[in-house]
Protein backbone atom coordinates (compact mmCIF):
# COMPACT_ATOMS: atom_id res chain seq x y z
CA UNK A 1 0.00 0.00 0.00
CA UNK A 2 2.84 2.38 0.87
CA UNK A 3 4.43 1.67 -2.48
CA UNK A 4 1.18 2.53 -4.30
CA UNK A 5 0.90 5.80 -2.34
CA UNK A 6 4.47 6.69 -3.23
CA UNK A 7 3.86 6.01 -6.90
CA UNK A 8 0.65 8.07 -6.88
CA UNK A 9 2.42 10.89 -5.04
CA UNK A 10 5.29 10.77 -7.52
CA UNK A 11 2.90 10.91 -10.48
CA UNK A 12 1.04 13.84 -8.94
CA UNK A 13 4.30 15.71 -8.48
CA UNK A 14 5.21 15.02 -12.10
CA UNK A 15 1.81 16.33 -13.23
CA UNK A 16 2.17 19.47 -11.13
CA UNK A 17 5.61 20.20 -12.55
CA UNK A 18 4.37 19.46 -16.08
CA UNK A 19 1.43 21.83 -15.63
CA UNK A 20 3.75 24.48 -14.22
CA UNK A 21 6.11 24.05 -17.16
CA UNK A 22 3.26 24.43 -19.66
CA UNK A 23 2.05 27.54 -17.82
CA UNK A 24 5.52 29.07 -17.91
CA UNK A 25 5.87 28.30 -21.61
CA UNK A 26 2.48 29.81 -22.36
CA UNK A 27 2.90 33.04 -20.41
CA UNK A 28 6.47 33.68 -21.53
CA UNK A 29 6.25 32.57 -25.17
CA UNK A 30 2.64 33.27 -26.11
CA UNK A 31 2.38 36.03 -28.71
CA UNK A 32 -1.42 36.08 -28.83
CA UNK A 33 -2.29 38.87 -26.41
CA UNK A 34 -4.62 41.11 -28.43
CA UNK A 35 -8.27 41.06 -29.51
CA UNK A 36 -9.49 42.14 -32.92
CA UNK A 37 -11.72 45.17 -32.32
CA UNK A 38 -13.72 47.66 -34.33
CA UNK A 39 -11.34 50.49 -33.41
CA UNK A 40 -8.38 48.49 -34.65
CA UNK A 41 -10.05 47.49 -37.88
CA UNK A 42 -11.22 50.99 -38.78
CA UNK A 43 -7.57 52.00 -39.19
CA UNK A 44 -6.76 49.19 -41.64
CA UNK A 45 -7.07 48.95 -45.41
CA UNK A 46 -9.90 47.02 -47.02
CA UNK A 47 -13.48 46.46 -45.94
CA UNK A 48 -15.34 44.25 -43.47
CA UNK A 49 -18.54 42.25 -43.63
CA UNK A 50 -20.38 40.26 -40.98
CA UNK A 51 -20.94 36.64 -42.02
CA UNK A 52 -22.57 33.84 -40.05
CA UNK A 53 -19.12 32.54 -39.08
CA UNK A 54 -17.74 35.94 -38.11
CA UNK A 55 -16.36 39.18 -39.54
CA UNK A 56 -14.42 38.81 -42.80
CA UNK A 57 -11.79 41.26 -44.01
CA UNK A 58 -11.80 41.74 -47.78
CA UNK A 59 -10.95 44.03 -50.66
CA UNK A 60 -13.05 44.36 -53.81
CA UNK A 61 -12.21 46.52 -56.80
CA UNK A 62 -12.63 46.75 -60.53
CA UNK A 63 -15.55 47.64 -62.82
CA UNK A 64 -18.97 46.22 -61.95
CA UNK A 65 -19.19 44.92 -65.51
CA UNK A 66 -15.90 43.03 -65.28
CA UNK A 67 -15.54 39.29 -65.01
CA UNK A 68 -15.29 38.30 -61.37
CA UNK A 69 -12.05 36.78 -60.10
CA UNK A 70 -11.59 35.65 -56.49
CA UNK A 71 -8.04 35.35 -55.13
CA UNK A 72 -7.65 32.87 -52.26
CA UNK A 73 -4.49 32.93 -50.14
CA UNK A 74 -2.63 29.97 -48.66
CA UNK A 75 -2.30 28.36 -45.26
CA UNK A 76 -1.24 31.30 -43.13
CA UNK A 77 -0.25 34.41 -45.14
CA UNK A 78 -3.29 36.75 -45.45
CA UNK A 79 -4.64 38.42 -48.56
CA UNK A 80 -1.67 40.76 -48.94
CA UNK A 81 0.06 37.79 -50.55
CA UNK A 82 -1.76 38.87 -53.72
CA UNK A 83 -0.24 42.37 -53.78
CA UNK A 84 0.66 43.09 -57.37
CA UNK A 85 -1.54 40.43 -58.95
CA UNK A 86 -4.66 41.98 -57.43
CA UNK A 87 -3.88 45.42 -58.85
CA UNK A 88 -2.81 43.95 -62.19
CA UNK A 89 -6.11 42.13 -62.68
CA UNK A 90 -8.11 45.21 -61.68
CA UNK A 91 -6.14 47.30 -64.18
CA UNK A 92 -7.05 44.77 -66.88
CA UNK A 93 -10.77 45.13 -66.33
CA UNK A 94 -11.60 42.34 -63.90
CA UNK A 95 -13.80 42.66 -60.82
CA UNK A 96 -11.40 41.25 -58.23
CA UNK A 97 -12.05 40.03 -54.70
CA UNK A 98 -9.43 39.01 -52.17
CA UNK A 99 -10.10 38.23 -48.53
CA UNK A 100 -8.61 36.90 -45.31
CA UNK A 101 -9.78 33.42 -44.46
CA UNK A 102 -11.06 32.92 -40.92
CA UNK A 103 -8.19 32.84 -38.45
CA UNK A 104 -5.87 34.94 -40.62
CA UNK A 105 -5.15 38.59 -41.13
CA UNK A 106 -7.92 40.81 -39.80
CA UNK A 107 -10.77 38.33 -40.19
CA UNK A 108 -12.34 36.82 -37.08
CA UNK A 109 -10.79 33.75 -35.47
CA UNK A 110 -13.88 31.75 -34.44
CA UNK A 111 -13.39 29.13 -31.75
CA UNK A 112 -14.60 26.32 -33.96
CA UNK A 113 -13.43 23.41 -36.08
CA UNK A 114 -11.48 24.62 -39.12
CA UNK A 115 -12.62 22.07 -41.67
CA UNK A 116 -13.51 22.06 -45.34
CA UNK A 117 -17.05 23.25 -44.64
CA UNK A 118 -15.89 26.34 -42.73
CA UNK A 119 -13.70 27.55 -45.60
CA UNK A 120 -16.24 26.69 -48.29
CA UNK A 121 -19.10 28.32 -46.39
CA UNK A 122 -17.09 31.50 -45.80
CA UNK A 123 -16.32 31.92 -49.49
CA UNK A 124 -19.87 31.09 -50.59
CA UNK A 125 -21.47 33.48 -48.11
CA UNK A 126 -18.97 36.22 -48.93
CA UNK A 127 -19.62 36.07 -52.68
CA UNK A 128 -23.37 36.02 -52.04
CA UNK A 129 -23.32 38.91 -49.58
CA UNK A 130 -21.25 41.04 -51.95
CA UNK A 131 -23.66 40.17 -54.79
CA UNK A 132 -20.87 39.19 -57.14
CA UNK A 133 -21.84 38.49 -60.70
CA UNK A 134 -21.72 34.79 -61.56
CA UNK A 135 -20.04 32.69 -62.73
CA UNK A 136 -16.79 33.47 -60.95
CA UNK A 137 -13.20 32.42 -61.58
CA UNK A 138 -11.13 31.19 -58.66
CA UNK A 139 -7.38 31.54 -58.16
CA UNK A 140 -5.84 29.72 -55.20
CA UNK A 141 -2.23 29.50 -54.08
CA UNK A 142 -0.81 26.64 -52.00
CA UNK A 143 -3.49 25.64 -49.41
CA UNK A 144 -5.79 28.01 -51.30
CA UNK A 145 -5.58 25.51 -54.14
CA UNK A 146 -7.40 22.99 -51.95
CA UNK A 147 -9.99 25.59 -50.94
CA UNK A 148 -10.84 26.65 -54.50
CA UNK A 149 -10.86 23.04 -55.70
CA UNK A 150 -13.28 21.97 -52.98
CA UNK A 151 -15.40 25.07 -53.56
CA UNK A 152 -15.66 24.34 -57.30
CA UNK A 153 -16.59 20.73 -56.54
CA UNK A 154 -19.28 21.90 -54.10
CA UNK A 155 -20.70 24.73 -56.22
CA UNK A 156 -19.82 23.87 -59.84
CA UNK A 157 -22.66 25.94 -61.29
CA UNK A 158 -21.21 29.25 -60.11
CA UNK A 159 -17.58 28.60 -61.06
CA UNK A 160 -16.29 29.19 -64.56
CA UNK A 161 -12.51 28.71 -64.32
CA UNK A 162 -9.98 27.57 -61.74
CA UNK A 163 -6.34 28.56 -61.42
CA UNK A 164 -4.05 26.57 -59.11
CA UNK A 165 -0.73 28.17 -58.14
CA UNK A 166 1.78 25.78 -56.55
CA UNK A 167 -1.21 24.03 -54.96
CA UNK A 168 -1.10 21.82 -51.91
CA UNK A 169 -0.77 18.15 -52.80
CA UNK A 170 -0.04 16.10 -49.69
CA UNK A 171 -1.82 17.84 -46.82
CA UNK A 172 -0.98 15.41 -44.03
CA UNK A 173 -1.77 15.72 -40.34
CA UNK A 174 0.98 16.43 -37.77
CA UNK A 175 2.55 13.45 -36.04
CA UNK A 176 1.89 14.78 -32.54
CA UNK A 177 -1.44 15.26 -30.74
CA UNK A 178 -3.22 18.62 -31.19
CA UNK A 179 -2.20 19.72 -27.68
CA UNK A 180 1.46 19.00 -28.38
CA UNK A 181 1.22 20.65 -31.78
CA UNK A 182 -0.21 23.74 -30.12
CA UNK A 183 2.69 23.88 -27.67
CA UNK A 184 5.10 23.56 -30.59
CA UNK A 185 3.35 26.48 -32.29
CA UNK A 186 3.83 28.57 -29.15
CA UNK A 187 7.52 27.68 -28.90
CA UNK A 188 8.20 28.03 -32.62
CA UNK A 189 6.21 31.16 -33.41
CA UNK A 190 9.32 33.09 -34.48
CA UNK A 191 10.38 30.14 -36.62
CA UNK A 192 6.98 30.06 -38.33
CA UNK A 193 7.29 33.75 -39.14
CA UNK A 194 10.86 33.57 -40.43
CA UNK A 195 10.02 30.35 -42.28
CA UNK A 196 7.79 32.29 -44.65
CA UNK A 197 10.97 33.37 -46.43
CA UNK A 198 11.43 29.77 -47.58
CA UNK A 199 8.64 30.38 -50.08
CA UNK A 200 11.01 32.52 -52.15
CA UNK A 201 13.95 31.54 -54.29
CA UNK A 202 15.37 35.01 -53.70
CA UNK A 203 14.25 35.98 -50.17
CA UNK A 204 16.57 39.00 -50.08
CA UNK A 205 14.30 40.69 -52.60
CA UNK A 206 11.45 40.65 -50.06
CA UNK A 207 13.00 42.15 -46.91
CA UNK A 208 9.71 43.21 -45.29
CA UNK A 209 7.89 39.90 -45.75
CA UNK A 210 8.34 38.66 -42.17
CA UNK A 211 7.51 42.10 -40.74
CA UNK A 212 4.19 41.99 -42.61
CA UNK A 213 3.43 38.52 -41.28
CA UNK A 214 4.11 39.02 -37.56
CA UNK A 215 1.22 41.37 -36.58
CA UNK A 216 -1.52 38.80 -37.25
CA UNK A 217 0.19 36.41 -34.84
CA UNK A 218 -0.58 38.79 -31.96
CA UNK A 219 -4.36 38.33 -32.18
CA UNK A 220 -6.00 35.56 -30.23
CA UNK A 221 -7.12 32.57 -32.28
CA UNK A 222 -4.45 32.56 -34.99
CA UNK A 223 -2.66 29.53 -33.57
CA UNK A 224 -5.91 27.61 -33.05
CA UNK A 225 -6.88 28.25 -36.67
CA UNK A 226 -3.61 26.79 -37.96
CA UNK A 227 -3.62 23.74 -35.69
CA UNK A 228 -7.31 22.99 -36.21
CA UNK A 229 -6.92 23.28 -39.99
CA UNK A 230 -4.04 20.82 -39.96
CA UNK A 231 -6.10 18.24 -38.09
CA UNK A 232 -9.55 18.82 -39.56
CA UNK A 233 -9.22 19.88 -43.19
CA UNK A 234 -9.35 16.53 -44.91
CA UNK A 235 -7.96 16.80 -48.41
CA UNK A 236 -7.37 13.82 -50.67
CA UNK A 237 -5.58 15.20 -53.76
CA UNK A 238 -6.50 12.32 -56.06
CA UNK A 239 -10.16 12.51 -55.06
CA UNK A 240 -10.57 16.30 -55.00
CA UNK A 241 -8.50 17.09 -58.09
CA UNK A 242 -10.11 14.13 -59.85
CA UNK A 243 -13.58 15.55 -59.14
CA UNK A 244 -12.45 18.92 -60.45
CA UNK A 245 -11.22 17.26 -63.63
CA UNK A 246 -14.60 15.58 -64.08
CA UNK A 247 -16.31 18.98 -64.07
CA UNK A 248 -14.60 19.70 -67.42
CA UNK A 249 -13.95 23.32 -66.53
CA UNK A 250 -10.94 25.27 -67.82
CA UNK A 251 -8.10 24.87 -65.33
CA UNK A 252 -4.70 26.53 -65.32
CA UNK A 253 -1.80 25.15 -63.28
CA UNK A 254 1.09 27.47 -62.43
CA UNK A 255 4.17 26.18 -60.61
CA UNK A 256 7.53 27.66 -59.65
CA UNK A 257 10.20 25.20 -60.72
CA UNK A 258 12.32 25.96 -57.64
CA UNK A 259 9.49 25.57 -55.12
CA UNK A 260 10.76 24.12 -51.82
CA UNK A 261 7.39 24.29 -50.04
CA UNK A 262 5.41 22.16 -52.49
CA UNK A 263 8.13 20.73 -54.73
CA UNK A 264 7.75 21.01 -58.50
CA UNK A 265 7.87 17.21 -58.82
CA UNK A 266 4.28 17.11 -57.54
CA UNK A 267 3.21 18.86 -60.74
CA UNK A 268 3.80 15.62 -62.62
CA UNK A 269 1.38 13.78 -60.35
CA UNK A 270 -1.21 16.53 -60.54
CA UNK A 271 -0.98 16.71 -64.32
CA UNK A 272 -1.67 12.99 -64.34
CA UNK A 273 -4.95 13.60 -62.51
CA UNK A 274 -6.06 16.92 -63.89
CA UNK A 275 -6.12 18.18 -67.46
CA UNK A 276 -4.92 21.75 -67.35
CA UNK A 277 -3.11 24.52 -69.12
CA UNK A 278 0.31 24.21 -67.51
CA UNK A 279 2.73 27.06 -66.88
CA UNK A 280 6.03 25.99 -65.28
CA UNK A 281 7.84 29.10 -64.10
CA UNK A 282 11.61 29.23 -64.27
CA UNK A 283 13.65 30.92 -61.54
CA UNK A 284 10.80 31.06 -59.02
CA UNK A 285 9.91 29.39 -55.74
CA UNK A 286 6.51 28.84 -54.10
CA UNK A 287 5.12 32.24 -55.08
CA UNK A 288 5.91 32.65 -58.79
CA UNK A 289 3.44 35.52 -59.22
CA UNK A 290 5.66 37.57 -56.89
CA UNK A 291 9.05 36.45 -58.19
CA UNK A 292 8.18 36.37 -61.89
CA UNK A 293 5.20 38.70 -62.11
CA UNK A 294 6.03 39.76 -65.67
CA UNK A 295 5.50 36.16 -66.77
CA UNK A 296 2.71 34.98 -64.50
CA UNK A 297 0.33 37.95 -64.42
CA UNK A 298 0.00 38.38 -68.23
CA UNK A 299 -0.48 34.61 -68.61
CA UNK A 300 -3.17 34.75 -65.92
CA UNK A 301 -5.02 37.55 -67.73
CA UNK A 302 -4.84 35.69 -71.03
CA UNK A 303 -6.29 32.54 -69.48
CA UNK A 304 -9.06 34.33 -67.60
CA UNK A 305 -10.12 36.29 -70.69
CA UNK A 306 -10.44 33.25 -72.95
Amino acid sequence: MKLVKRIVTFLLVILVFAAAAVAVIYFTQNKETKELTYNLRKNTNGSYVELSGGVTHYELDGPDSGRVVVLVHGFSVPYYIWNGTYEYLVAHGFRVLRYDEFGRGYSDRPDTVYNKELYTDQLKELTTKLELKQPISLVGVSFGGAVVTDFANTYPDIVSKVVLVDPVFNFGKPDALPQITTIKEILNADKRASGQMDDFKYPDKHPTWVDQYIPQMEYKGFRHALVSTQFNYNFDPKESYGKLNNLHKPVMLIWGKDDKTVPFTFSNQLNGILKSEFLPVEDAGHLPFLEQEDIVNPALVTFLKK
Side-chain angles (χ1 to χ4, degrees), residues 3-37:
L3 179 61
V4 172
K5 287 183 178 180
R6 287 176 181 174
I7 293 174
V8 171
T9 301
F10 176 75
L11 291 175
L12 287 174
V13 170
I14 293 293
L15 287 174
V16 169
F17 274 104
V22 170
V24 169
I25 289 171
Y26 181 82
F27 287 109
T28 59
Q29 302 294 321
N30 176 45
K31 291 186 180 296
E32 296 184 11
T33 60
K34 300 179 182 179
E35 300 280 358
L36 284 168
T37 64

Side-chain angles (χ1 to χ4, degrees), residues 221-287:
F222 174 73
R223 183 170 53 244
H224 167 69
L226 300 190
V227 174
S228 183
T229 300
Q230 288 175 292
F231 281 94
N232 297 293
Y233 197 107
N234 298 314
F235 185 75
D236 183 326
K238 291 184 179 180
E239 178 183 352
S240 293
Y241 291 133
K243 285 183 179 179
L244 178 60
N245 187 64
N246 292 336
L247 296 178
H248 303 294
K249 294 183 181 296
V251 176
M252 184 178 194
L253 178 62
I254 302 171
W255 217 304
K257 295 189 74 173
D258 298 303
D259 188 347
K260 294 182 294 183
T261 306
V262 186
F264 183 75
T265 52
F266 283 121
S267 65
N268 293 328
Q269 296 182 54
L270 187 48
N271 278 319
I273 301 170
L274 183 62
K275 294 181 177 65
S276 67
E277 182 175 318
F278 184 39
L279 176 64
V281 184
E282 299 281 353
D283 216 24
H286 190 55
L287 307 175

Side-chain angles (χ1 to χ4, degrees), residues 70-301:
V70 181
L71 304 176
V72 182
H73 66 72
F75 182 66
S76 68
V77 180
Y79 81 40
Y80 67 72
I81 200 171
W82 292 111
N83 286 351
T85 298
Y86 175 81
E87 293 81 3
Y88 190 91
L89 292 175
V90 169
H92 283 77
F94 293 95
R95 183 76 166 157
V96 189
L97 169 68
R98 59 176 173 172
Y99 69 102
D100 290 340
E101 293 170 315
F102 285 135
R104 284 77 165 179
Y106 293 110
S107 286
D108 274 353
R109 288 92 187 283
D111 184 15
T112 188
V113 176
Y114 283 70
N115 54 20
K116 186 181 302 183
E117 290 73 26
L118 180 73
Y119 291 94
T120 300
D121 290 348
Q122 182 190 18
L123 180 51
K124 177 63 168 65
E125 192 174 351
L126 180 60
T127 57
T128 300
K129 199 120 180 183
L130 297 179
E131 299 180 342
L132 297 183
K133 184 174 64 176
Q134 299 177 357
I136 62 176
S137 291
L138 301 173
V139 184
V141 59
S142 194
F143 171 71
V147 175
V148 300
T149 296
D150 288 330
F151 186 90
N153 289 336
T154 305
Y155 299 105
D157 293 340
I158 67 173
V159 176
S160 59
K161 297 179 180 180
V162 175
V163 180
L164 304 172
V165 184
D166 295 60
V168 64
F169 197 81
N170 285 338
F171 191 68
K173 292 179 173 57
D175 295 330
L177 293 171
Q179 295 83 352
I180 302 300
T181 303
T182 298
I183 293 174
K184 287 182 177 180
E185 286 288 341
I186 295 173
L187 292 174
N188 298 318
D190 291 336
K191 185 177 180 181
R192 174 170 287 284
S194 62
Q196 302 308 311
M197 300 303 289
D198 294 339
D199 287 344
F200 297 105
K201 182 176 181 181
Y202 301 106
D204 291 346
K205 294 183 179 180
H206 305 272
T208 65
W209 197 247
V210 173
D211 292 336
Q212 282 182 284
Y213 185 89
I214 289 175
Q216 67 167 342
M217 303 179 77
E218 299 175 349
Y219 299 104
K220 296 176 182 178
F222 174 73
R223 183 170 53 244
H224 167 69
L226 300 190
V227 174
S228 183
T229 300
Q230 288 175 292
F231 281 94
N232 297 293
Y233 197 107
N234 298 314
F235 185 75
D236 183 326
K238 291 184 179 180
E239 178 183 352
S240 293
Y241 291 133
K243 285 183 179 179
L244 178 60
N245 187 64
N246 292 336
L247 296 178
H248 303 294
K249 294 183 181 296
V251 176
M252 184 178 194
L253 178 62
I254 302 171
W255 217 304
K257 295 189 74 173
D258 298 303
D259 188 347
K260 294 182 294 183
T261 306
V262 186
F264 183 75
T265 52
F266 283 121
S267 65
N268 293 328
Q269 296 182 54
L270 187 48
N271 278 319
I273 301 170
L274 183 62
K275 294 181 177 65
S276 67
E277 182 175 318
F278 184 39
L279 176 64
V281 184
E282 299 281 353
D283 216 24
H286 190 55
L287 307 175
F289 53 92
L290 289 175
E291 295 200 282
Q292 296 294 342
E293 67 273 14
D294 291 340
I295 295 173
V296 175
N297 289 338
L300 192 56
V301 166

